[in-house]
Amino acid sequence: ENIDTPTVSDTAITSASMRSSTPAYSPFLLPLAILLAGVLISATLLYTRGTAGPTKPKLKIEKNDIVLGNPRAKAIVYEYTDFQCPFCRKFFVETWPQLKQEYIDTGKVRFVIRQYPLEFHPMAAPAAQASECAQEQGKFLEFHDAVFNGQVQKDSQKFSKTIMFTQNDLTQWETTAGLDLTALNTCLVSKKFEAKVKSDQDTGAGLGVRGTPSFFIGETFIEGAYPFATYQDAIEKLLAK
């Protein structure tokens, strides 16, 4: 596994329950059911042929996005992340340093980081909001690095499990990042970026994001943490356009 996603066990249980409670139908009704289904499908096709279906949100940089790198770079990479996700931690350790060095620091790529805190990670949403407050202080990367490095120090299993860090841990990492804690607390208490985090999640879900980390690189959608070469290939294709 390379991506953190919500469990599907409840869905499986529900489906099994629905199957077990489905009444048996007479075989004589089957042809009629098939005929009616065909009519309904045909009618649906006729109805929808002239109307546009639901459209996915378009990927574009929003004014409140966290954007790293050259603001004029034509190549744009979008990452949806969760600060408590073990695979986001894996990406941070194994891939992020080289990707940042070769593409962001050199001005070739704009890297957009969006929030996608998964509900089964209790500290992911607080960390996401804190990161937005850190961005307001001009220290998003310092916070980003401190939170992931702090979890790495607790990670004896090498990315195989979620680190259940606490608010005290988060406060320690905020201090490590050099944040103004008074301003940070004011920002958090006001829930200034709660709606922004929710908006990131909604946009991501509309684009097909179902877990973290997830990346959009031009026309390429990558789900999960992989070696640098995977992202390099997609970025080089984007730069070649």
Side-chain angles (χ1 to χ4, degrees):
E1 279 189 65
N2 292 294
I3 187 170
D4 220 355
T5 58
T7 178
V8 295
S9 58
D10 291 342
T11 303
I13 291 170
T14 302
S15 298
S17 175
M18 289 174 65
R19 286 197 298 271
S20 65
S21 62
T22 303
Y25 289 98
S26 167
F28 298 105
L29 294 178
L30 184 58
L32 178 59
I34 293 173
L35 177 62
L36 287 173
V39 171
L40 288 171
I41 291 170
S42 299
T44 302
L45 289 173
L46 286 171
Y47 177 76
T48 59
R49 187 169 293 162
T51 60
T55 57
K56 286 186 176 182
K58 290 184 178 179
L59 268 174
K60 62 177 183 178
I61 294 180
E62 305 292 346
K63 65 179 181 180
N64 59 356
D65 270 329
I66 295 172
V67 184
L68 309 177
N70 177 8
R72 296 184 178 84
K74 292 183 179 179
I76 305 172
V77 175
Y78 297 83
E79 178 192 6
Y80 282 86
T81 192
D82 172 316
F83 279 97
Q84 202 173 7
C85 157
F87 300 106
C88 299
R89 187 167 72 251
K90 178 181 174 70
F91 171 80
F92 170 78
V93 171
E94 297 182 350
T95 305
W96 171 249
Q98 188 174 1
L99 191 152
K100 180 177 180 293
Q101 181 181 21
E102 294 197 17
Y103 291 110
I104 300 173
D105 294 347
T106 57
K108 295 179 180 179
V109 162
R110 275 183 285 176
F111 198 93
V112 181
I113 296 182
R114 289 181 175 172
Q115 315 289 354
Y116 204 85
L118 299 168
E119 61 180 12
F120 54 88
H121 292 156
M123 290 303 295
Q129 291 187 45
S131 76
E132 296 287 339
C133 294
Q135 169 71 2
E136 192 173 48
Q137 295 187 29
K139 293 191 174 183
F140 171 82
L141 267 184
E142 289 85 347
F143 174 86
H144 171 274
D145 292 359
V147 172
F148 282 121
N149 279 324
Q151 290 175 85
V152 168
Q153 293 174 12
K154 296 174 177 285
D155 184 13
S156 60
Q157 301 300 316
K158 295 295 181 185
F159 319 121
S160 65
K161 67 176 184 178
T162 299
I163 300 300
M164 302 305 290
F165 63 85
T166 66
Q167 181 59 53
N168 286 340
D169 291 320
L170 192 58
T171 300
Q172 179 183 336
W173 299 332
E174 290 162 353
T175 302
T176 300
L179 298 181
D180 179 332
L181 297 185
T182 301
L184 175 68
N185 186 61
T186 300
C187 177
L188 292 173
V189 169
S190 70
K191 297 183 178 181
K192 184 174 183 178
F193 293 104
E194 185 176 58
K196 195 271 183 182
V197 171
K198 180 64 165 56
S199 176
D200 279 2
Q201 285 180 292
D202 291 345
T203 302
L207 289 164
V209 173
R210 61 189 184 91
T212 54
S214 289
F215 303 85
F216 293 90
I217 306 174
E219 300 298 319
T220 302
F221 178 41
I222 300 175
E223 290 184 290
Y226 295 96
F228 170 74
T230 300
Y231 307 93
Q232 181 184 37
D233 181 63
I235 292 172
E236 289 297 334
K237 288 178 180 176
L238 182 59
L239 290 171
K241 288 185 176 181

